[in-house]
């Protein structure tokens, strides 16, 4: 497989002396040695993004949009190669990698359209002979820091919006998965994106690289997707220079099943919401809260569906769940499993993890005393607790510092509206286990983040309003 491994700065591929290995999560083998960007290279990338900004922002929106759609089309034309690379560095099942390439490309094409619609406002004047308008301008060069769980999509949600708005980008991908980002840089180069508009500085030291990007006065905005812990550090550091910040952070999603739910639909939703990317998604159902009258039936149906899921190497035919990303991820799931069992959880399926390949685990009799009630599991472990009624289910669902997404299954229209409004989350899936799409606002409240990605709101974060009063 032909893989880009160097840093991409100012339209050039830069080979560095320091390199870091990227591993296949399935067997730990080394896939590539990637450039480890030092401070001087990061500074070069920032300078390139600053220089390129003046030209890029002046290009007409439709021209920027056309280039974005070309990037999207090229991604789709090469989806087999890109998907195979994603499965290689991330481990996820190949069919999920294909879905991710399509999902990631959709942000580029959708924001490509939005580049033609960055409207301002005409405001009624106070006096005769005056014209008041507000226009939207790009904020400037942006730093983009992404996690390993969706190497393409987490990048394009930011890159599409930034480039459409007229901003330039310096991207720092996760240490585990820099190859997908470099593959997109290579596509951008082929599609004729001007030098310096999109730069990639892979690094094995997120704190140092993030610190360097945040310290630069040339970087006007930082967009970060990752853990709440690192999000807090970024927000603190961004305060120094009053940089604009978008944060897409961790979740602890409740998955509420009410007594009148279509249980087959709830199980189908649960499988998607829990097991996509082997449970390693920010929107993963973390706590199943099931009304007690239907808990037994729901659990039996879920066990039957879970029993059909195949765990294995992501590139093998028929595999649903690839390996966890690394040994730290296994250790986390094992800690949460041990703690829950010690505190009285009942094991209905699966077993204590012994390797990165973790077949689905189902635990019931969950209580708030258990660590997994409060922490993101990030693995294929279903944790079920019963609720007395709708009110109890809502109280339980909101018993978390996070607020990214919540799911509720009920057939009753009034309940759908009532519960969706009562759930403390930036997004709610009603009878729906997968809500993310380019044209809708994705993002959280509480400790799950600041700002939205996707939709017209996602591009607003890369623009600033300028009010112009003219005497005519
Ligand atoms: P992470 O450890 O926070 O890392 C995310 C990125 O931040 C990586 O590129 C990392 O670089 C970098 N980084 C680490 N320390 C940094 C620092 N001090 N300053 C600046 N950057 C720093 O998160 P992860 O383990 O990769 O991803 C999993 C987390 O992401 C989960 O909590 C998940 O819920 C969240 N997530 C949220 C969303 C959302 O949309 N809300 C989507 C996907 C994932 P290195 O790799 O070099 O350390």
């Amino acid at each position: 497989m032909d893989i880009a491994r160097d840093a991409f700065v100012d339209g050039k591929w830069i080979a560095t002396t320091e390199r870091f290995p990227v591993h296949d999560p399935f067997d730990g083998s080394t896939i590539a040695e990637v450039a480890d960007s030092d401070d001087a290279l990061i500074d070069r990338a920032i300078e390139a993004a600053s220089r390129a900004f003046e030209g890029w922002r002046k290009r007409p929106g439709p021209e920027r949009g056309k280039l974005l759609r070309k990037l999207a089309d090229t991604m789709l034309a090469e989806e087999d190669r890109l998907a195979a690379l994603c499965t290689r560095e991330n481990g996820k099942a190949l069919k999920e990698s294909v879905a991710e390439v399509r999902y990631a490309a959709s942000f580029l094409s959708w924001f490509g359209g939005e580049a033609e619609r960055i409207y301002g406002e005409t405001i009624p004047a106070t006096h005769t002979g005056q014209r008041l308008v507000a226009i939207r301008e790009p904020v400037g060069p942006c730093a983009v820091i992404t996690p390993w769980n969706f190497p393409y999509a987490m990048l394009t949600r930011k890159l599409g919006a930034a480039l459409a708005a007229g901003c330039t980008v310096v991207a720092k991908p996760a240490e585990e998965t820099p190859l997908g980002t470099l593959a997109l840089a290579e596509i951008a180069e082929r599609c004729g994106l001007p030098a310096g508009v999109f730069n990639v500085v892979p690094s094995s030291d997120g704190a140092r690289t993030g610190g360097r990007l945040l310290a630069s006065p040339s970087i006007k905005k930082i967009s970060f997707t990752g853990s709440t812990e690192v999000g807090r550090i970024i927000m603190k550091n961004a305060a120094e220079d009053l940089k604009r910040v978008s944060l897409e952070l961790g979740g602890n999603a409740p998955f509420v099943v009410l007594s009148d739910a279509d249980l087959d639909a709830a199980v189908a939703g649960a499988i998607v919401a829990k097991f996509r990317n082997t449970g390693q998604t920010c929107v993963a159902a973390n706590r199943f809260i099931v009304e007690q009258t239907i808990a037994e039936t729901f659990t039996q149906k879920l066990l039957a569906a879970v029993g059909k899921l195949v765990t294995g190497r992501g590139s093998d035919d028929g595999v649903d769940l690839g390996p966890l990303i690394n040994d730290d991820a296994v250790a986390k799931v094992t800690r949460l499993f041990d703690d829950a069992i010690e505190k009285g959880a009942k094991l209905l399926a699966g077993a204590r993890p012994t390797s990165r390949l973790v077949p689905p685990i189902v635990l019931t009799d969950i209580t708030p005393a258990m660590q997994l009630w409060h922490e993101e599991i990030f693995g294929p472990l279903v944790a079920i607790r019963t609720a007395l009624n709708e009110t109890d289910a809502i109280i339980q669902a909101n018993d978390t510092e996070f607020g990214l997404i919540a799911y509720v299954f009920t057939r009753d229209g009034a309940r759908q509206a009532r519960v969706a409004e009562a759930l403390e989350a930036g997004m709610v899936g009603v009878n729906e286990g997968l809500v993310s799409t380019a044209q809708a606002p994705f993002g959280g409240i509480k400790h799950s983040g600041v700002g939205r990605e996707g939709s017209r709101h996602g591009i607003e974060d890369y623009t600033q309003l300028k009010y112009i009063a003219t005497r005519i």
Side-chain angles (χ1 to χ4, degrees), residues 235-249:
M235 200 163 190
K236 270 191 200 142
N237 292 342
E240 192 60 37
D241 192 33
L242 293 174
K243 284 193 205 312
R244 295 166 69 115
V245 177
S246 296
L247 302 172
E248 295 285 349
L249 309 177

Side-chain angles (χ1 to χ4, degrees), residues 251-275:
N252 180 359
F255 189 101
V256 176
V257 188
L258 295 176
S259 54
D260 65 313
D262 173 338
L263 293 187
D264 293 322
V267 167
I271 295 292
V272 181
K274 179 73 235 183
F275 293 104

